[in-house]
Amino acid sequence: MNEQSRAPRQQGKPYRRPKKDPVRMLAFEALRAVDERDAYANLVLPPLLRKAREKGDFDGRDAALATELVYGTLRRQGTYDAVIAACVDRPLREVDPPVLDVLSLGAHQLLGTRIPTHAAVSASVELARVVLGDGRAKFVNAVLRKIARHDLDEWLEQVAPPYDDDPEEHLAVVHSHPRWVVSALWDSLGGGRAGVEDLLEADNERPEVTLVARPGRATADELLDALGEESSLPGRWSPYAVRLSEGGEPGAVEAVREGRAGVQDEGSQLVALALAHAPLEGPDRAWLDGCAGPGGKAAMLAGLAAERGAVLLASEKQPHRAGLVARALAGNPGPYQVIAADGTRPPWRPGSFDRVLMDVPCTGLGALRRRPEARWRRRPDDLERFAPLQRGLLRSALASVRVGGVVGYATCSPHLAETRAVVDDVLKHYDGSAELVDARPLLPGVPALGDGPDIQLWPHLHGTDAMYLALIRRTG
Ligand SMILES: C[S@@+](CC[C@H](N)C(=O)[O-])C[C@H]1O[C@@H](n2cnc3c(N)ncnc32)[C@H](O)[C@@H]1O
């Protein structure tokens, strides 16, 4: 079928203008921005929604539907691509990207939502008429009608190889992850099929929004009271966390508006807490966050440091991100300093800190729930790009801490090349002068932390991002 073909209109049949559906139009616009400009959905969507509300095009339900269509389409893109490929007569790369976006949006409505089939097809065809023209709308109509013949399970039977023939490719298609990501997550998680399937499914769910009551500036009880029982729940693991339920809006909380609380995944809170509570001999006065931007963990550390009479230096290479750190820390009850500096060539003297956090740049494979497009952007060679920087930052952290002090090496990726491989490689050169500390007792009550001494959190086990933390003490 030729998507460009334009069948002559039947004689006498009146032309009907396509109906503009603001929800689908907005979802399409967001998908194009993600596709064309490498934009992040979580940054593109809010201004588009705001504009639509201001124009009076949208109410809250429309905004929720548009968000679900964009995020759902991006998350399930791998599965939908396989289904669409089975319904067109050419390789997908030869289908125009805007046409593919309309098809994916239609496939999501048909296979991933409760929108009735006829409504999903007709809304997609109307959208195609507006954004692609009548000729290509016919192509969209024909493809979506083929897709509509089966439900998702039936399609998966057809387009995914049997698990026993090729387990990784099966899981990649069924759970919509790139194959190399399935392979890496499985290596890191270990175990059998059930665990990795739970993890991949958790990556496809919308994460709860979690708030942090910044230590010394707000309490979880204050946030719970402000939000009310209907809209909030206490955190699972962190005493500073509050989880928002449906309808809970961070902006409605005064403490958030005042910067005394913020939005922060509980996994990140646990990393900061574990480092802050790691046992230490001797003074506990000088703390460093060497990769601080945008300042989530630094804000928590600064509050905890203040309670102990310690001072935090928050350092970040990118000056604009150092600005975000300064904003997150403003109002901290104790002293702190924010600087823009390259953590691999630090301006501070070696051995000046008692506690150091290096939350290094990484692939972010542990935060796929939050960034629906990220899994399709990342490439295996990103790992090679980050590897020297991650090692350099960890070496610098170990040089920055005094003997007896503790370093926390953290990533929001569970990929072994970014976690254990980095720690093992670097520690080889510190024989007898640095040792891993068991981080598990520092997260009391948190189950399934593995064999230690480092810890790996998981979305499907802990409801957090897949944060990794190794604690290392300088011993000589
Ligand atoms: C994973 S993020 C840190 C997140 C932060 N800890 C938080 O909780 O908000 C890594 C940060 O390291 C910064 N970065 C990258 N290279 C760096 C370097 N050589 N020195 C210091 N910071 C660096 C990045 O700009 C980024 O802001």
Side-chain angles (χ1 to χ4, degrees):
M1 195 180 325
N2 179 358
E3 77 193 62
Q4 301 281 5
S5 68
R6 276 168 209 275
R9 210 171 290 133
Q10 283 170 16
Q11 196 98 66
K13 189 173 172 192
Y15 176 75
R16 184 180 59 72
R17 279 184 187 285
K19 271 192 241 133
K20 282 193 182 169
D21 169 347
V23 172
R24 268 83 179 176
M25 295 280 288
L26 184 144
F28 175 76
E29 196 181 335
L31 290 181
R32 291 307 303 135
V34 169
D35 208 13
E36 243 173 359
R37 293 192 268 121
D38 272 358
Y40 295 107
N42 64 343
L43 298 185
V44 162
L45 205 50
L48 287 176
L49 293 174
R50 208 176 313 122
K51 217 162 68 188
R53 273 212 201 92
E54 282 164 11
K55 271 171 55 189
D57 280 353
F58 261 35
D59 59 22
R61 278 177 50 194
D62 292 332
L65 177 58
T67 305
E68 153 55 26
L69 292 182
V70 173
Y71 275 52
T73 302
L74 289 170
R75 283 201 185 98
R76 298 275 178 186
Q77 188 188 317
T79 306
Y80 298 149
D81 278 357
V83 173
I84 294 166
C87 297
V88 297
D89 57 5
R90 77 195 78 158
L92 279 196
R93 63 175 182 283
E94 289 173 19
V95 178
D96 259 3
V99 176
L100 202 49
D101 280 341
V102 173
L103 288 173
S104 306
L105 208 46
H108 179 55
Q109 292 169 70
L110 286 167
L111 304 178
T113 71
R114 295 209 188 121
I115 297 171
T117 303
H118 65 274
V121 174
S122 72
S124 305
V125 173
E126 291 300 303
L127 171 68
R129 291 185 68 204
V130 178
V131 298
L132 305 172
D134 282 346
R136 297 202 287 182
K138 288 201 172 94
F139 173 77
V140 166
N141 185 27
V143 174
L144 290 182
R145 280 180 193 283
K146 280 192 197 167
I147 295 177
R149 281 183 210 148
H150 303 288
D151 66 18
L152 182 61
D153 288 342
E154 289 164 353
W155 272 117
L156 290 175
E157 285 271 312
Q158 287 188 39
V159 298
Y163 180 85
D164 291 335
D165 290 359
D166 187 344
E168 286 180 358
E169 186 61 21
H170 173 89
L171 296 176
V173 175
V174 169
H175 299 288
S176 188
H177 281 62
R179 183 192 177 119
W180 73 274
V181 174
V182 172
S183 179
L185 293 176
W186 205 347
D187 281 347
S188 177
L189 181 64
R193 175 179 178 174
V196 72
E197 289 219 67
D198 287 349
L199 167 61
L200 299 173
E201 252 333 285
D203 275 350
N204 287 333
E205 272 153 30
R206 243 201 2 226
E208 279 174 323
V209 177
T210 311
L211 301 182
V212 59
R214 293 186 166 141
R217 300 169 69 187
T219 62
D221 282 344
E222 177 190 344
L223 304 186
L224 288 165
D225 285 347
L227 284 156
E229 271 177 26
E230 297 268 287
S231 310
S232 59
L233 287 167
R236 285 191 187 85
W237 322 113
S238 158
Y240 299 93
V242 167
R243 293 179 286 151
L244 295 191
S245 347
E246 207 60 42
E249 272 287 325
V253 182
E254 196 182 4
V256 173
R257 292 197 303 274
E258 292 174 356
R260 296 184 293 109
V263 174
Q264 188 178 42
D265 181 69
E266 243 183 302
S268 292
Q269 298 183 35
L270 291 180
V271 162
L273 284 171
L275 175 68
H277 293 301
L280 206 66
E281 278 164 26
D284 191 6
R285 286 194 288 267
W287 296 13
L288 167 70
D289 182 346
C291 284
K297 294 183 196 69
M300 191 158 191
L301 287 173
L304 295 167
E307 284 173 359
R308 223 173 284 174
V311 179
L312 178 79
L313 173 63
S315 174
E316 157 64 44
K317 185 174 179 189
Q318 305 290 343
H320 74 279
R321 286 174 76 80
L324 299 177
V325 180
R327 220 161 63 194
L329 267 62
N332 189 61
Y336 66 88
Q337 199 188 349
V338 180
I339 60 169
D342 183 342
T344 60
R345 282 181 284 153
W348 51 84
R349 269 182 312 167
S352 353
F353 296 96
D354 305 307
R355 295 179 197 270
V356 174
L357 176 66
M358 275 294 171
D359 182 19
V360 298
C362 68
T363 56
L365 293 180
L368 297 181
R369 303 176 304 164
R370 274 170 219 296
R371 300 183 204 123
E373 70 290 322
R375 68 188 75 172
W376 312 113
R377 295 244 170 98
R378 285 286 172 216
R379 300 275 171 262
D381 50 19
D382 291 332
L383 294 164
E384 285 157 39
R385 200 161 49 80
F386 285 124
L389 178 59
Q390 291 166 342
R391 283 163 178 73
L393 286 167
L394 177 53
R395 277 195 298 270
S396 171
L398 288 164
S400 303
V401 79
R402 67 167 169 85
V403 171
V406 183
V407 167
Y409 172 84
T411 63
C412 63
S413 165
H415 198 300
L416 291 170
E418 304 184 86
T419 59
R420 283 201 175 153
V422 174
V423 173
D424 290 349
D425 264 11
V426 171
L427 286 191
K428 266 190 230 147
H429 303 281
Y430 284 82
D431 194 19
S433 61
E435 66 184 19
L436 281 160
V437 176
D438 193 349
R440 293 169 300 169
L442 298 164
L443 302 185
V446 184
L449 289 173
D451 299 333
D454 49 1
I455 53 170
Q456 180 60 67
L457 299 168
W458 293 105
H460 64 302
L461 297 177
H462 305 103
T464 64
D465 289 342
M467 294 294 306
Y468 170 84
L469 175 69
L471 289 177
I472 305 161
R473 175 173 295 115
R474 281 305 306 268
T475 50

